[in-house]
Amino acid sequence: MSEATPLEQNKCGCIKRRIESGISAVGMISASVNDDPTRERNCRASLLQLECDALLQLASIVDVSSLQTTIKDVLRVVLPNVECVFVYLLEEESRLRCEDPPHEVPMEGKLRDAVNQQKRLVCVGLSPSELHEKHRSALTTPLPPDKRVLIIPLVDLEEAMVISLILICCKAPTEQDEQNLNVLEKHLTVACKRVRNVQRCFKRPHGHQSHNAPVEPKPQPEDYRELDRKILQLCGELYDLDAASLQLKVINYLQKETQSQCCCLLLVSEDNQQLFCQVVGDKVLEEEISFPLMFGRFGQVVETKKSITLQDVSQEERGLLSSLLGFEPSSMLCVPVVSQARGQVVALACTFNKLGGLRYMDADEHVIQHCFCYTSTVLTSTLAFQKEQKLKFECQALLQVAKNLFTHLDDVSVLLQEIIVEARNLSNAEICSVFLLDRVSHELVAKVFDGGVVSDDEKEFRIPADQGIAGHVATTGKILNIKDAYSHPLFYRGVDDSTGFRTRNILCFPIKDENEEVIGVAELVNKTNGPWFNRFDEDLATAFSIYCGISIAHSLLYKKVHEAQFRSHLANEMMMYHMKVSEEEVTKLLSTGIEPVQVIHPNFAEFVYTPRSLSDDSTPMGVLSMFEDMGFINTYKIDLRTLARFCLMVKKGYRDPPYHNWMHAFSVSHFCYLLYKNLELANYLEDIEILALFVSCMCHDLDHRGTNNSFQVDSQSVLAALYSSEGSVMERHHFAQAIAILNTHGCNIFEKFSRKDYQRMLDLIRDIILATDLAHHLRIFKDLQKMADVGYNQKNQTHRSLLLCLLMTSCDLSDQTKGWKTTRKIAELIYKEFFSQGDLEKAMGNRPSEMMDREKAYIPELQISFMEHIAMPIYKLLQELFPRSAELYERVAANREQWAKVSNKFTIRGLPSNNSLDFLDEEFELLQSQGAFGDESHRMNGCLDDDCNKHHQ
Ligand SMILES: [Zn+2]
C-alpha cells in the first residue's frame, strides 16, 4: 500500500464511511463493558478507526501475498496481544497450505478437527506433533494461563468448504473480542473468496485449472482480463451509502458493456411478494415503483433462476415494462441476480434494446453474471442498510404519531382526525376511515371522515358491527390485507358504483384497548406507491393501532372523568344550595346579641357541664358564645354575620344518624372550650392553633353517614373511590366538606387572614380532622406517651402537633368524661348506629364485626374494653400533661367501674327491642341511694346529667 493519490484518498474516505456504518449496523460497537463510559467510548472509537483502516485494506486486496499480510494486520487490531498469526490458504481444492514456512495442515490434530468441523476453536495450546517446528515454541501446550490458541477456519458457505485456516496465539479473547471476530470472519471470508475468484480467472485461461464453476465463462482469455480490469474499476467506485447511487453505477456499466439503450434492476422484496424498481437507466425514480411477483414470467425467473428474453413475457408484462421505461422495448434480456449469502434471487437485471438492432447473445448474459458476481454483495448489503434506515425513520415517525395522538386526548373527534391523517401518511393510502365500535347498538360508527368532522348526529355513518370488511375485522380482531378488493367476498361494490370511486386494495385493522378488546376499526384504501399494502404496512398498522387504542381509550376515559367531575360539581352545588342559610336565620340568630356563657348555664365552662343538655335550637348561640368567650371574634376580627352563617351552615352540614350528628359535634366543640377554659391552653399552643382546634371540632364529622371507614371501602362507596387510596376515608370527606363550607359565599370566617395564616389554618384543620381517625391515634400513641415522658415543650413544633391530635381525640370521646347517664345514653346511640351498619353489611352479604352485629355484640364487655384500651389511656395521658385534668380520667374510670357493676343485669346481646338502656339506670340509682359513690356522688354524677342541667334553661 504505497502513497495514495488525493482522488484515491477521497475514495478511501468514502469506503471507510461505508464500512463504519456497516460495522455499527452489525453491532461491532456493542454495549459498553467498562465502568468508565467516556474512556470506553474513546477507546472504542480509536479501535474502530484502526479496524476500519484494516477492513479497508482487506476490501481492496486481489492477490495472495497481500491477503496473507493483511489478514495478520487485521487480526492484530481486533484481538488482544497477538503474538503470532499463521495463515493457511486453500490450494487445488483440497490442500490448506501455509507459506511461512511452507507446509500443509496435518491430517490429524486440532487443526484438522477445526477444518472438518468448520468451526472456530479456542484452546490452551496444540500438541507438538501437529505443529511445524518453527511454530512449536509459540504454540505448544501448555501456554501461560492468560494465553490462548485460536484456530479459525474460513468457510465458503456456497461451496461448503474451508478456504482458509488461521492459527493465532493471543491473550484469552473476551466476549467482545469474540463478537468482533464473528464480524471480521465474514470480511475475511469475503476477501479470501474474492482472491480465489481472481486467481481462478487468471489461471484458467492458461490451462492450469479446469473445473465446473457455476458461472462458466466462454469468451477468450484476453476478453476476461479486460473485463476483470473494468469490474475492478467498477468495484472501486461502489462506495456510496445509498442503493440508488450504487445501482446507477452498475446500470451504467451494464448499459455500456451490453450495448443497451437502457438497463434497470428489479429488486425482489424481502417477502418475495413484489418487485420494485428504484433506478431506470440514468434516472433515479422519485418514488420507487413496485409490482406483484405472483404472476407472469418475472416470477418464474425468481423461482427457476433462469434468464428470459422479451419473447418470453406476456403482453401485459410488456405493457408494464413500457410504462416503467417510458418507451416500447424491442429486445430484452432479464438475468437473475443470486445472493451469494442466501443463494436466492435478490434482483432481476434487465437490459433493453440492444444497440444496432441486434439480439442479446450468451456473451451479454455472461457479462451481466460476471458483473454481479462482484457487485451483488455490495448491493444487497447497502439495500439492507437502507432498509434499516427506513425502519429507523418509521420508528421515529411512529413516536411522533404517539406524541401527536397523546396531545389530543381532550377531544375524541380531533384525536380521530389526527389518527386518520397519521395513518394515511404512514402507509401512503389514498383514503383512511376510522370507526368506533358502539357496543350498545352493535354498530360501527364513523363520525370523522377524511378531511372533516360530522358534528351532526344524523349525518354520522353507521354500519352493522358484523358486516363487510370492517365488521369482519371488528368481529375477529384480526388485520385484513386485501390485495384486490373487487374479488374479495366481503367487499361491497355498491358505494364505488354510486360514487365512481375505484377501490383497488384495502388494509383494515382493529384498534384495541389495553384489555385487547376491539374498540374500533381503521380502514386504509388504495396504496398510492405500490400495487397493494405490503407486510411492512401491516407491521406498521399493528404498531400504530396500539397507539391508537391507548389514546382513544384514554380519551374516552378523560371524557368520562370530565363528566364525572362536572356531575360531582353539580351535586356539590345542589347540596350547598339546600344547606343554604337564609339571611333571616342569620339576622334572627344575631338579633339579641351574643349571649354571655354564664347566661346559658352557670356551669357552662366547667368539666361537669353536659353540653348535650342544651336544646338543638340553642346550640348555634352556644357556639357564638364560646367564640366570643375565647376572644376569637375580637382577636381575628371575625365578621359576626359571617360567623353566624358559618355556624348555621356547619350545623346543616350534619346528617341525622343516631350518634354522629350535630349534637355530637357541638358537645365535642364544647369540650374544646372546656379545655381552653380549664387547662390554660394558651400556655401550650399558639392562638391560631387553638382556633383551628375549635373549628375542627365543629367540622370534624361533617356529613357523617353513620357508617365507618371500612364500610365505605367494603361497600365501594363514592367516598371510598375518592379517598380510599390515602386512608381515613370519612375524615378526608369531613375535611373536604369543611372546605366546601368555607368556600361558600359569605361563610369564610378566615377571609381576613393573610395568605400565610390562611394556608396555616387550613393545614391545621386538615391535620386535626384527620387525627380523629382512631387508627391515626393508635399510630401516634407511642409518640404521645414519649412526649408526656420527656415533658411537653411548647417551642417544639412536633410536640404542638402531637398535642393538638391528643386534644382533638379527648374532645371526640369526651362523652365518657361525663356522668353515668350520659355515658349510658351515648352507648345506646353508638350501638344503634353500629347495628344499623351491621344490618347493612349483612344485607350486602358480608359479615359485620362483632360490635356491629346486634346478634353478637355484648355491650358491657365492648364498652369496658373500649374504655380500658382507648378512652382511659387518652385521659391518663392528658392528666400527665395537664395535672388539672385529673378529674376527667377519674370519671372515665368510674364509668368503667359502673359498666362492670351493671354487667350482671345485662343478659342480652345487642340492644333491647326499644333500643334503650334505661334499665341500667335503675341499678345505678339503687347503688347511688346506698351511698356507693361516697360524698362526691352528687358532684360526680347527678349534676352532670340531663335532668339536672335542664331546669337552668
Ligand atoms: Zn366525632
Side-chain angles (χ1 to χ4, degrees):
M1 302 262 104
S2 54
E3 291 163 85
T5 66
L7 180 70
E8 278 167 333
Q9 277 173 347
N10 183 34
K11 212 181 279 175
C12 284
C14 293
I15 296 173
K16 196 159 73 186
R17 274 201 302 281
R18 186 155 62 78
I19 292 173
E20 273 171 338
S21 55
I23 288 168
S24 58
V26 296
M28 228 161 156
I29 309 169
S30 66
S32 156
V33 287
N34 202 298
D35 292 341
D36 180 351
T38 321
R39 212 192 74 197
E40 174 71 6
R41 212 162 36 238
N42 292 341
C43 204
R44 292 289 312 152
S46 58
L47 192 60
L48 193 69
Q49 189 61 48
L50 283 169
E51 280 165 358
C52 283
D53 291 344
L55 291 177
L56 200 59
Q57 243 181 321
L58 202 59
S60 55
I61 288 161
V62 287
D63 68 291
V64 174
S65 66
S66 354
L67 177 67
Q68 283 172 330
T69 334
T70 313
I71 288 177
K72 291 177 187 177
D73 290 348
V74 175
L75 284 164
R76 280 178 205 282
V77 173
V78 173
L79 291 171
N81 300 5
V82 174
E83 277 186 8
C84 55
V85 182
F86 304 105
V87 181
Y88 295 84
L89 291 176
L90 186 64
E91 276 186 7
E92 291 162 29
E93 306 309 316
S94 63
R95 296 158 60 206
L96 282 161
R97 211 176 131 76
C98 176
E99 296 284 339
D100 174 36
H103 70 287
E104 286 178 30
V105 172
M107 292 316 288
E108 276 173 11
K110 284 179 181 158
L111 289 172
R112 182 52 67 182
D113 289 348
V115 174
N116 291 340
Q117 291 164 11
Q118 302 192 348
K119 253 192 188 151
R120 191 153 81 217
L121 213 139
V122 183
C123 60
V124 291
L126 300 176
S127 114
S129 60
E130 63 174 311
L131 291 169
H132 189 276
E133 58 183 309
K134 239 186 118 181
H135 294 176
R136 275 179 200 152
S137 60
L139 297 166
T140 304
T141 180
L143 293 172
D146 63 327
K147 291 275 165 199
R148 293 287 182 279
V149 166
L150 263 64
I151 308 169
I152 308 170
L154 300 181
V155 184
D156 180 341
L157 289 172
E158 277 166 23
E159 299 187 42
M161 58 161 51
V162 175
I163 54 172
S164 175
L165 186 72
I166 303 166
L167 184 57
I168 309 162
C169 178
C170 65
K171 215 175 129 193
T174 63
E175 212 170 291
Q176 182 64 53
D177 295 329
E178 297 259 8
Q179 275 177 24
N180 292 349
L181 203 54
N182 288 341
V183 177
L184 180 62
E185 225 180 84
K186 288 178 194 149
H187 286 270
L188 290 173
T189 310
V190 170
C192 285
K193 272 174 78 175
R194 184 179 50 244
V195 172
R196 264 172 65 75
N197 279 335
V198 173
Q199 292 291 97
R200 276 186 196 165
C201 290
F202 281 111
K203 277 176 187 169
R204 210 173 295 121
H206 302 289
H208 285 206
Q209 296 293 326
S210 83
H211 60 256
N212 299 321
V215 181
E216 186 59 51
K218 284 176 191 137
Q220 293 304 301
E222 302 79 49
D223 297 342
Y224 250 104
R225 274 200 286 275
E226 178 60 12
L227 212 50
D228 283 323
R229 193 189 57 74
K230 286 177 181 166
I231 268 290
L232 275 176
Q233 198 177 356
L234 172 66
C235 288
E237 283 165 17
L238 298 181
Y239 46 73
D240 305 78
L241 270 178
D242 68 306
S245 307
L246 289 183
Q247 289 180 61
L248 267 181
K249 288 175 182 169
V250 174
I251 285 170
N252 182 40
Y253 171 88
L254 290 178
Q255 282 178 182
K256 230 186 259 169
E257 294 307 313
T258 61
Q259 302 273 300
S260 300
Q261 185 194 336
C262 182
C263 287
C264 72
L265 274 175
L266 304 177
L267 303 161
V268 180
S269 70
E270 191 109 319
D271 54 6
N272 269 339
Q273 297 270 313
Q274 290 181 28
L275 284 174
F276 60 99
C277 183
Q278 298 175 327
V279 185
V280 175
D282 53 1
K283 271 209 311 281
V284 177
L285 301 176
E286 267 178 35
E287 207 154 351
E288 64 178 42
I289 294 172
S290 57
F291 36 92
L293 232 184
M294 286 147 70
F295 61 91
R297 287 307 310 273
F298 290 111
Q300 283 175 29
V301 178
V302 173
E303 216 168 277
T304 61
K305 303 181 189 171
K306 291 226 169 71
S307 305
I308 54 167
T309 63
L310 197 59
Q311 282 67 48
D312 298 314
V313 303
S314 68
Q315 207 53 45
E316 195 184 341
E317 284 171 304
R318 277 188 189 222
L320 214 79
L321 290 173
S322 307
S323 65
L324 177 69
L325 299 167
F327 60 85
E328 189 77 32
S330 56
S331 62
M332 178 197 80
L333 178 61
C334 170
V335 181
V337 176
V338 180
S339 150
Q340 290 178 9
R342 289 184 290 146
Q344 283 176 337
V345 175
V346 290
L348 305 181
C350 300
T351 60
F352 299 97
N353 296 3
K354 178 101 177 162
L355 297 178
L358 298 169
R359 281 197 305 122
Y360 283 104
M361 312 289 279
D362 281 356
D364 295 311
E365 189 177 339
H366 290 305
V367 165
I368 296 172
Q369 280 174 337
H370 183 255
C371 167
F372 285 104
C373 196
Y374 297 97
T375 57
S376 69
T377 310
V378 175
L379 264 174
T380 47
S381 61
T382 309
L383 278 167
F385 171 68
Q386 273 201 314
K387 203 186 140 211
E388 289 292 321
Q389 285 217 312
K390 195 176 164 200
L391 271 177
K392 197 176 130 196
F393 169 78
E394 301 287 0
C395 279
Q396 282 168 343
L398 265 182
L399 281 177
Q400 186 59 42
V401 168
K403 206 181 115 199
N404 290 349
L405 294 190
F406 287 121
T407 49
H408 294 298
L409 289 185
D410 49 345
D411 187 336
V412 183
S413 301
V414 177
L415 174 69
L416 290 177
Q417 230 179 337
E418 194 71 24
I419 287 175
I420 285 173
V421 171
E422 299 288 357
R424 200 154 37 84
N425 291 348
L426 277 176
S427 60
N428 292 297
E430 205 174 316
I431 288 183
C432 174
S433 334
V434 175
F435 299 89
L436 287 188
L437 185 60
D438 182 343
R439 287 197 182 279
V440 181
S441 65
H442 199 58
E443 286 174 318
L444 286 168
V445 187
K447 269 192 188 187
V448 181
F449 295 94
D450 223 353
V453 184
V454 181
S455 52
D456 191 351
D457 272 6
E458 283 169 25
K459 281 187 185 156
E460 66 183 23
F461 187 61
R462 285 176 171 264
I463 51 170
D466 51 6
Q467 280 180 26
I469 289 162
H472 181 80
V473 170
T475 313
T476 60
K478 294 215 169 71
I479 193 166
L480 204 55
N481 188 358
I482 298 170
K483 292 172 182 169
D484 180 11
Y486 283 13
S487 69
H488 198 278
L490 288 171
F491 182 71
Y492 172 63
R493 268 186 73 156
V495 177
D496 272 18
D497 289 341
S498 65
T499 58
F501 182 84
R502 187 178 149 80
T503 306
R504 286 183 289 115
N505 44 69
I506 298 172
L507 182 64
C508 189
F509 58 94
I511 297 170
K512 298 179 184 177
D513 64 9
E514 289 121 311
N515 305 320
E516 286 287 295
E517 296 267 351
V518 175
I519 55 171
V521 170
E523 203 174 70
L524 295 163
V525 174
N526 290 1
K527 181 148 178 97
T528 54
N529 63 340
W532 51 60
F533 296 97
N534 54 27
R535 270 264 301 285
F536 191 76
D537 295 320
E538 289 176 31
D539 292 346
L540 210 60
T542 308
F544 179 71
S545 74
I546 293 170
Y547 289 119
C548 288
I550 295 173
S551 54
I552 290 176
H554 281 241
S555 179
L556 294 175
L557 194 70
Y558 184 89
K559 202 175 145 207
K560 266 194 207 154
V561 169
H562 223 71
E563 285 168 359
Q565 267 179 351
F566 185 69
R567 268 198 298 276
S568 135
H569 190 73
L570 205 69
N572 216 39
E573 251 181 11
M574 245 165 72
M575 184 198 79
M576 287 301 171
Y577 175 78
H578 289 294
M579 272 169 66
K580 209 167 183 151
V581 175
S582 70
E583 289 313 293
E584 293 82 70
E585 284 177 276
V586 176
T587 308
K588 192 178 158 215
L589 178 58
L590 293 172
S591 60
T592 53
I594 296 177
E595 222 172 301
V597 290
Q598 294 302 320
V599 175
I600 300 174
H601 194 280
N603 292 339
F604 191 78
E606 287 176 42
F607 281 131
V608 291
Y609 180 76
T610 308
R612 285 174 180 275
S613 59
L614 218 56
S615 75
D616 183 68
D617 292 344
S618 317
T619 50
M621 180 51 78
V623 174
L624 294 184
S625 301
M626 291 189 277
F627 258 98
E628 172 67 21
D629 196 38
M630 288 188 280
F632 290 150
I633 296 175
N634 196 25
T635 309
Y636 294 101
K637 306 278 175 284
I638 299 175
D639 178 70
L640 274 189
R641 285 191 75 84
T642 306
L643 182 61
R645 217 177 276 116
F646 175 77
C647 292
L648 292 169
M649 191 84 160
V650 169
K651 183 171 183 288
K652 286 193 178 185
Y654 279 86
R655 300 191 184 199
D656 200 25
Y659 177 73
H660 286 103
N661 46 40
W662 163 247
M663 194 42 97
H664 166 61
F666 176 72
S667 67
V668 169
S669 309
H670 177 261
F671 194 78
C672 175
Y673 166 74
L674 291 180
L675 294 175
Y676 173 84
K677 294 294 278 186
N678 294 282
L679 302 182
E680 291 170 343
L681 280 193
N683 294 338
Y684 290 77
L685 295 165
E686 294 172 8
D687 280 358
I688 193 172
E689 290 169 331
I690 299 170
L691 175 60
L693 181 63
F694 188 74
V695 174
S696 299
C697 286
M698 286 176 70
C699 300
H700 85 282
D701 274 330
L702 269 171
D703 200 40
H704 201 293
R705 291 103 192 270
T707 47
N708 65 5
N709 284 339
S710 65
F711 181 84
Q712 308 306 321
V713 176
D714 291 343
S715 66
Q716 298 176 324
S717 73
V718 181
L719 294 180
L722 267 173
Y723 302 119
S724 67
S725 60
E726 299 148 297
S728 301
V729 174
M730 287 311 300
E731 289 74 15
R732 282 179 204 279
H733 178 57
H734 304 320
F735 172 65
Q737 292 301 102
I739 295 302
I741 290 175
L742 283 172
N743 285 340
T744 304
H745 183 70
C747 290
N748 196 340
I749 53 172
F750 309 125
E751 65 188 347
K752 299 214 176 86
F753 279 35
S754 69
R755 207 185 156 79
K756 196 176 147 224
D757 283 348
Y758 189 75
Q759 189 55 52
R760 174 95 201 281
M761 177 54 75
L762 297 197
D763 288 345
L764 283 166
I765 292 178
R766 184 197 58 223
D767 292 346
I768 296 168
I769 292 182
L770 288 181
T772 60
D773 186 353
L774 279 178
H776 178 269
H777 166 72
L778 295 175
R779 277 200 299 276
I780 63 163
F781 190 81
K782 260 192 197 151
D783 299 327
L784 290 169
Q785 186 65 62
K786 211 167 121 196
M787 174 174 77
D789 291 347
V790 299
Y792 180 80
N793 176 6
Q794 197 198 348
K795 295 208 175 74
N796 184 329
Q797 171 75 54
T798 314
H799 276 193
R800 291 208 310 278
S801 300
L802 282 169
L803 184 64
L804 281 169
C805 294
L806 177 67
L807 296 179
M808 180 67 233
T809 316
S810 313
C811 295
D812 205 7
L813 306 182
S814 58
D815 288 317
Q816 303 303 327
T817 70
K818 307 300 178 186
W820 162 253
K821 284 190 179 176
T822 302
T823 181
R824 190 268 300 157
K825 181 74 189 159
I826 294 310
E828 226 174 82
L829 300 175
I830 285 181
Y831 287 101
K832 209 173 152 194
E833 196 172 298
F834 278 3
F835 294 157
S836 69
Q837 177 181 324
D839 294 344
L840 284 174
E841 285 174 313
K842 286 176 189 170
M844 272 159 39
N846 294 344
R847 202 160 57 166
S849 67
E850 196 186 285
M851 69 175 173
M852 308 252 171
D853 189 339
R854 62 173 78 249
E855 285 153 74
K856 292 192 180 134
Y858 183 58
I859 290 175
E861 198 177 84
L862 290 166
Q863 275 306 97
I864 290 168
S865 168
F866 169 72
M867 294 178 89
E868 281 180 357
H869 296 112
I870 310 280
M872 284 163 69
I874 286 170
Y875 296 101
K876 186 89 199 156
L877 263 177
L878 200 65
Q879 185 186 338
E880 285 174 42
L881 289 160
F882 304 90
R884 290 174 61 181
S885 75
E887 61 177 288
L888 298 172
Y889 175 75
E890 284 159 22
R891 263 195 306 273
V892 179
N895 282 329
R896 185 221 157 271
E897 281 302 305
Q898 188 59 20
W899 277 109
K901 278 180 189 147
V902 300
S903 64
N904 66 322
K905 282 270 165 187
F906 213 100
T907 51
I908 51 153
R909 302 216 167 237
L911 279 164
S913 53
N914 66 353
N915 276 338
S916 167
L917 295 177
D918 282 350
F919 70 95
L920 294 177
D921 290 357
E922 294 162 24
E923 180 79 359
F924 172 76
E925 274 151 15
L926 184 72
L927 286 166
Q928 204 176 24
S929 66
Q930 290 166 352
F933 300 116
D935 295 341
E936 285 292 295
S937 67
H938 183 74
R939 181 167 165 70
M940 275 186 65
N941 295 286
C943 261
L944 307 174
D945 292 324
D946 295 8
D947 314 338
C948 197
N949 281 325
K950 267 185 186 140
H951 68 252
H952 286 285
Q953 289 170 17

